[in-house]
Amino acid sequence: MLDVVTFGETMVMMNPVESGNLKYIYDYKKQLGGAESNFAISLSRLGHQVGWFSKLGKDPHGEYIKSFIQGEGVDTSQVKFTSQAPTGLFFKERKELGESNVYYYRHNSAASKMKPEDLSEEYISQAKYLHLTGITPALSDSCYKTILEAINIAKENNVNISFDPNLRLKLWSKEKMNEVMLDLFEKVDIVLPGIEEGEILLGTDNPTEIADEILDLGAEIVVVKLGAEGALVANKNNKEKVAGYNVEKVVDPIGAGDGFAAGFISAQLRGKDLVESTKLANAVGAFATTVIGDVEGLPTREEVEIFTGKKDVINR
Ligand SMILES: Nc1ncnc2c1ncn2[C@@H]1O[C@H](COP(=O)(O)OP(=O)(O)OP(=O)(O)O)[C@@H](O)[C@H]1O
Ligand SMILES: O=C(O)C(=O)C[C@H](O)[C@H](O)CO
C-alpha cells in the first residue's frame, strides 16, 4: 500500500560550485532535480510510503536518478527506461545579484515520451493521494494526455489529487499554459500556487483573491505560498494566514515549494487540520531553502519535530 503516488520528469542537475554567469563557471556538482521526485523524497523522509515514476533514458544518468530516488526509500517499481531518448539535464545559475536562472536540456527527453499507456491503474488506485505538477503537461502532448488519464484514474478510484502549478515559461507558450492550468484547477482537489503564479494565471497577486478564484473553479483546498511570510490556506468555509518560520540564511529557495507540498500532504495523511498542515508545510519549505541542492535540505520527521519545538534533542 502506498500513501502517495507521483510522476514527472527528473533530470541530472549541474549545480555550479560558485555563483556567477555560467559562461565563466567551470566546476559543477552533479545532483538531481525534479519537482515531483523532490516532493516524493520529502514525503519519504517524513515517514510515508510513496511511489514516483517516470521514463528515463537508458544511460548512466537515468540509472543514477533511479538509484538515488530508490535509495531515499521511494518506490520506483514503475519507472521505465527507453533507448529512444536521453535523460534530461539542466544547469542552475546562481547570481549574487538578481534571481537564479536555469538552462534546460530536456527537449525530446525520455520523460517527454511518457504516454497514457505507461500508467498502471492498479498502482495509482492503491494511493490516498496522486500528486501532479504543471511541469508534466508542458513536456509534450503525450505527457499532457498522461496527466489527464492519471486524473481520470484517480477520480474513478477515489484518490485525492494535489496539484502544484510549478509554471515553467521556458517550456511552453503562456497562452497554452494558462488554458491548461485553469482547466486542471477544475479537475483537482488541492491546489498549491505561489503568488507569482496567481499573478500570471489569474491577474492578481492578492492571496485571498487567488484562493477564491481557484476555489470557484472547483478545487476543495487552496494553499497560496507566500515565501518567507508563510502561506494562506483556504477552503469554502475558512481562510487563514499561517506565518512562516524565520530562516537566517536563505541559500537557495528553489525547491522550497516541493517540500512545502510534501509537508502539507504529510500532515493531511496524519489527519491534521488545514492550519496544522500548513504549519508543517512552512517548516519543510523553510528547511529546503537552507541548502543549494533541491533535496539535500529536506528534513526527516524527527528533524522537523525538533525544529518546530515538538520534540527535545540532546546533542552532546
Ligand atoms: N525565505 C524563506 N523563509 C522561510 N520560509 C520560506 C522562505 N522561502 C520559502 N519558504 C517556505 O517555502 C514555501 C514555498 O516557497 P515559495 O513561496 O518560494 O514557493 P514556490 O514559488 O512554489 O517555490 P519553488 O521555487 O519551489 O517553485 C513558503 O510558503 C514558505 O513556507
Ligand atoms: O524546473 C524543473 O522543471 C524541475 O523539475 C527542476 C527543479 O528540481 C524544480 O524546479 C524544483 O521545483
Side-chain angles (χ1 to χ4, degrees), residues 228-260:
E229 284 185 42
L232 176 94
V233 64
N235 64 11
K236 281 265 183 262
N237 308 318
N238 261 317
K239 272 189 204 75
E240 196 141 346
K241 190 171 165 195
V242 183
Y245 290 88
N246 186 31
V247 178
E248 287 202 353
K249 193 162 181 271
V250 172
V251 177
D252 181 6
I254 297 181
D258 306 328
F260 180 94

Side-chain angles (χ1 to χ4, degrees), residues 4-140:
V4 181
V5 165
T6 185
F7 67 94
E9 178 162 39
T10 297
M11 299 165 284
V12 163
M13 171 165 84
M14 299 302 282
N15 214 339
V17 169
E18 290 170 78
S19 55
N21 188 319
L22 285 196
K23 186 176 172 195
Y24 303 105
I25 295 290
Y26 302 97
D27 298 321
Y28 296 88
K29 197 167 167 188
K30 185 181 89 171
Q31 292 174 308
L32 89 184
E36 301 83 1
S37 60
N38 296 344
F39 166 86
I41 290 170
S42 186
L43 266 178
S44 176
R45 291 201 191 151
L46 292 169
H48 301 280
Q49 303 298 317
V50 49
W52 167 89
F53 62 90
S54 188
K55 198 168 270 182
L56 294 163
K58 206 167 184 184
D59 50 38
H61 303 308
E63 281 170 30
Y64 157 66
I65 288 171
K66 185 181 176 207
S67 56
F68 184 97
I69 295 172
Q70 198 176 330
E72 290 291 333
V74 175
D75 180 73
T76 55
S77 59
Q78 294 288 311
V79 170
K80 293 195 166 121
F81 286 91
T82 175
S83 44
Q84 310 298 316
T87 303
L89 170 73
F90 75 113
F91 289 74
K92 261 193 188 179
E93 183 178 57
R94 283 193 314 282
K95 301 253 177 83
E96 294 296 328
L97 294 174
E99 300 239 326
S100 295
N101 246 322
V102 295
Y103 296 92
Y104 293 129
Y105 298 83
R106 68 194 303 188
H107 186 61
N108 283 330
S109 67
S112 76
K113 312 287 179 202
M114 280 190 286
K115 50 184 194 304
E117 299 81 71
D118 292 326
L119 298 173
S120 156
E121 176 158 2
E122 198 188 340
Y123 191 73
I124 293 173
S125 64
Q126 67 181 306
K128 297 186 188 80
Y129 285 87
L130 170 70
H131 181 75
L132 304 171
T133 81
I135 301 171
T136 313
L139 299 178
S140 66

Side-chain angles (χ1 to χ4, degrees), residues 170-186:
K170 286 194 172 182
L171 301 183
W172 53 353
S173 76
K174 203 171 164 211
E175 291 69 36
K176 176 80 180 157
M177 181 181 83
N178 280 26
E179 185 194 318
V180 169
M181 290 298 140
L182 296 184
D183 177 55
L184 291 176
F185 288 168
E186 291 180 20

